Structure formats: C-alpha cells, structure tokens
Amino acid sequence: MKGTNNLMATTYSKQIDENNILMLRQLLTELPHYATIVFRGIEHTTSTRTRLGYARDIKLFYQFLCDNNPYFKGKYPKEITTDDLSSLEAEDIEEYLDYIKLYKKDGRTYTNGEQSIKRKLSALRIFFNYLYKHDRITSNPVEKVDMPKIHEKKIIRMDPNEVAEFLDTVEYVNKLTERQKKFHERTKVRDLAILTLMLGTGIRVSECVGIDINDIDFDNMRIKILRKGGKEAFVYFSDEVCEALLSYLDERKNIETISGHEDALFLSSHKKRITVRAIENLVKKYSQTSVPLKHITPHKLRSTYGTELYRATDDIYLVADVLGHTDVNTTRKHYADMDEDRKRRFRNEVQLREKR
C-alpha cells in the first residue's frame, strides 16, 4: 500500500484548513475591520491553525480592554479604533498579561502558564508590529514589554519498563475498570496500533490522525505524514510497529465507514476519522493505570521515542530530523539532560596509558 495519491493524502489537511478559515472569519466579524487586514497580511507566512490561535488571543485582549480598562468602558471590541490602540502604554499590556494568569468568564476559571502567556504576547507583537509598520498606529507599546522568562520543566518520559507495561495494558487489559473492559475488545487492536506507532516513530498526535491508508508503504517500511506547516515527510517504522499495523488493517478492511472518511487509517467507534481528542483520551486511559505516577500525554510518547533514539544513536541531528524539528537547538534543549547519561557511558573511551 504505497502513498502514491497526493490528492487523497492532502484531503484531511485541506479539510482542517477549511474549518480553520471558517472559524477565523467568524472571529474576525467580532473585531474591527483593520484586524481582517492584519490577518490577510500575515496569511502567506503563517498556517491557518496559527492564525486562528492568534485571532483568539487578540479577541481575548480586546475583551479585556473593554471589561477592565477605564478608557474603553462601554465599548465593544469591534468599536476599538487604531487611535485607541495608539493611546495604549506598555503598562496596559502588562496589566493584561497579569490578568490572564487567572481570570473568570461565564462562571469558569481560566489560568495561563508561562508558555501560554508568551504565546499570547507573541500574538500581540505580530498584530501591533503589522499595524505600526503599515502606519495604522503611531506607537507600539507591545515592543516595550519583555517576553516572560520560561522556566524549563523537567521532560517527562516513560522508561523502557513503563513502555512495556503501558502497551501490555493495551493488549492484555491490565488494570482497566469493568466499564473500560466492555469497550476494550472492540478497540484493542486499533488502540495498540495507534500507540505502538506513536511510541515507535515519535510522530505528533495530529500527524497520526491525518494518516490515510494509502500513506503506508510496507515495501519501504515507511509512512507519509504531513508535518506542521504543511510539509510532507516520511517516517520509518520498525518490524514491531509493522506487525501492529497489519493486525489493525485486517480489521480495518471490513469496516464500512461514514461517507467522506473512506481513506482514513484510524477510525473512531462512529466509523469516522479518529480525532486528536480521542487519542488524547486513549493515552490518558491506559497511562493512568499503567504509569500512575507520571502525567503521560501524546507528546510524552513523542519525548519517550526521542529519548530512546538519542540513547541508541548519540546523534542529535538524526533525532531532530526524525522528530521534524526545524532547529536542532530545540531538540538539544529537550534532551539536554541525556548528556549526563552519555558522558557516563563514554567515561572510559579516552585511554591515557596502555593497560599493564
């Protein structure tokens, strides 16, 4: 089954892009007209997913101004002018960043950590920079606000024995609740294929969801995936992953899917392409019983694979390439703690004198 049909391989990503564009357009109806001009201007340098995230962040900022800044009291976000933005100072931006650390809306409490605050400030920088560069505002208060310092957290990953326990739980129903066991037999082969694939290749959960049947090339033991930014790439899989995929495909060929989902590799119980949320729930269900002391997410499966590949090869550039990192420094930062292990393993490699 070779991935030779480019049209079929991009159908899912096109669908996601179309949905993102429609949601972005809806959000922009709630913002001033110049916001549409900004997002049109950055269209060729950003993905639809990125622009949608920026739009949500900009809307939150405008809502904060209307609800909390005395100058904007009584206004709606759509009524905020470029002159209004020009009147803002760095202190107003800092107040917003402090506010989003913890706030309530519609009866719900929201929090944002360092990474989220950094991303929201990045969205404001891009937005204000565009307006300032194109002479729509006379000052840019955001450029005076420093990016928050990110305190690196210890990378959570599974040890080899934990990986084995995790997959055993999937295959042999270890420690699942009675309610979970009822559905397990129907989904066991699929779940094992998904999680073995993710642990055996390090692909992102969104990349896993987007795989079509024709993307699998068993002759060369590889799968075509769509990386972040829309770039196509191949990931190679092991014999162990191959076995799990073949077992699932024996079941998959007998499933009649909902119209429009015929090409999808992994299906939900509703016979549609499985979703990111569904895989997140799978990982949570199996990890809570097999690795209860660690908070395991799909990204932690990716970190686990990257760790084992780095440990086996000592090649940070290979790890960066396989994981799809555009900058090797990103990889190096994530696996810096592995360097102590490497130094320990190679401590006797330099011999000063011949042994007597």
Side-chain angles (χ1 to χ4, degrees):
M1 298 181 184
K2 293 187 179 181
T4 57
N5 191 327
N6 288 333
L7 180 61
M8 294 173 67
T10 56
T11 297
Y12 173 71
S13 68
K14 284 184 177 179
Q15 179 187 341
I16 294 297
D17 282 343
E18 289 171 1
N19 291 340
N20 288 342
I21 289 170
L22 291 175
M23 287 189 285
L24 175 60
R25 286 176 180 171
Q26 178 57 41
L27 274 173
L28 290 175
T29 64
E30 303 173 49
L31 294 171
H33 174 67
Y34 58 82
T36 301
I37 296 173
V38 174
F39 280 90
R40 189 183 301 137
I42 65 173
E43 180 176 337
H44 299 295
T45 56
T46 55
S47 67
T48 59
R49 181 172 177 265
T50 297
R51 292 198 300 280
L52 181 59
Y54 286 165
R56 286 171 173 155
D57 292 338
I58 297 302
K59 180 186 173 184
L60 178 62
F61 173 67
Y62 274 50
Q63 196 61 60
F64 163 80
L65 292 178
C66 294
D67 293 343
N68 298 276
N69 192 306
Y71 180 84
F72 296 93
K73 279 292 184 181
K75 282 193 173 186
Y76 292 101
K78 199 173 180 67
E79 298 172 330
I80 295 178
T81 66
T82 51
D83 288 339
D84 291 331
L85 295 184
S86 296
S87 70
L88 292 173
E89 297 179 358
E91 184 178 344
D92 297 306
I93 310 301
E94 291 167 346
E95 286 179 355
Y96 163 69
L97 297 179
D98 184 63
Y99 166 80
I100 59 176
K101 291 177 182 177
L102 175 65
Y103 67 97
K104 291 186 177 181
K105 182 180 178 183
D106 299 328
R108 293 182 59 185
T109 300
Y110 297 86
T111 61
N112 284 278
E114 292 173 340
Q115 287 286 1
S116 295
I117 291 173
K118 182 178 179 180
R119 192 198 72 234
K120 286 175 169 54
L121 181 55
S122 295
L124 287 181
R125 278 193 172 183
I126 288 171
F127 190 74
F128 275 76
N129 284 348
Y130 186 94
L131 293 172
Y132 187 69
K133 179 181 177 181
H134 292 83
D135 300 318
R136 290 183 174 270
I137 55 177
T138 57
S139 65
N140 185 356
V142 182
E143 68 178 4
K144 300 176 182 178
V145 179
D146 294 330
M147 278 290 182
K149 182 179 179 181
I150 303 299
H151 296 85
E152 297 296 338
K153 296 180 181 179
K154 181 177 175 60
I155 301 296
I156 297 175
R157 52 177 75 91
M158 289 192 284
D159 297 326
N161 64 305
E162 292 172 328
V163 171
E165 180 70 18
F166 178 73
L167 293 177
D168 282 349
T169 298
V170 182
E171 189 166 10
Y172 304 115
V173 207
N174 292 348
K175 304 176 184 177
L176 293 182
T177 66
E178 289 302 317
R179 185 172 181 276
Q180 290 170 335
K181 289 176 182 178
K182 290 181 181 179
F183 302 98
H184 183 261
E185 282 305 314
R186 283 188 294 169
T187 64
K188 177 178 72 173
V189 175
R190 182 206 65 182
D191 295 354
L192 189 61
I194 291 173
L195 299 174
T196 301
L197 175 62
M198 294 182 69
L199 277 165
T201 61
I203 60 175
R204 298 177 176 88
V205 62
S206 58
E207 295 165 351
C208 182
V209 166
I211 297 173
D212 286 339
I213 295 175
N214 287 338
D215 291 331
I216 309 176
D217 178 358
F218 285 107
D219 290 341
N220 294 296
M221 302 288 276
R222 65 184 187 177
I223 296 177
K224 182 169 64 178
I225 60 171
L226 208 62
R227 293 288 194 193
K228 290 168 67 175
K231 180 183 177 182
E232 285 187 353
F234 286 100
V235 291
Y236 291 83
F237 53 84
S238 66
D239 293 341
E240 188 176 10
V241 174
C242 180
E243 183 180 341
L245 287 173
L246 288 172
S247 295
Y248 169 66
L249 283 170
D250 280 341
E251 285 192 358
R252 172 66 179 81
K253 65 186 179 184
N254 296 317
I255 301 175
E256 187 175 344
T257 67
I258 298 295
S259 177
H261 298 263
E262 296 88 352
D263 300 327
L265 174 61
F266 295 118
L267 300 172
S268 70
S269 56
H270 299 293
K271 301 180 181 180
K272 298 180 180 180
R273 186 185 295 272
I274 199 167
T275 63
V276 169
R277 176 62 62 85
I279 293 182
E280 289 172 343
N281 289 336
L282 282 184
V283 174
K284 180 179 179 181
K285 177 178 75 171
Y286 292 120
S287 65
Q288 281 183 336
T289 56
S290 60
V291 198
L293 298 182
K294 292 181 178 179
H295 177 58
I296 303 299
T297 64
H299 192 75
K300 303 302 187 296
L301 305 188
R302 183 169 157 82
S303 298
T304 298
Y305 172 78
T307 298
E308 292 309 309
L309 184 62
Y310 189 28
R311 182 173 285 139
T313 65
D314 290 313
D315 189 339
I316 196 69
Y317 293 96
L318 175 65
V319 176
D321 187 39
V322 171
L323 293 180
H325 290 164
T326 55
D327 184 356
V328 71
N329 289 320
T330 301
T331 319
R332 195 179 301 280
K333 179 180 68 175
H334 278 80
Y335 298 100
D337 59 335
M338 291 289 295
D339 287 338
E340 289 302 314
D341 179 58
R342 293 174 70 239
K343 284 187 277 190
R344 188 182 304 110
R345 283 190 288 124
F346 292 115
R347 63 188 176 84
N348 284 324
E349 289 301 307
V350 177
Q351 188 173 321
L352 304 179
R353 292 192 296 172
E354 185 178 347
K355 292 183 179 179
R356 297 178 182 178

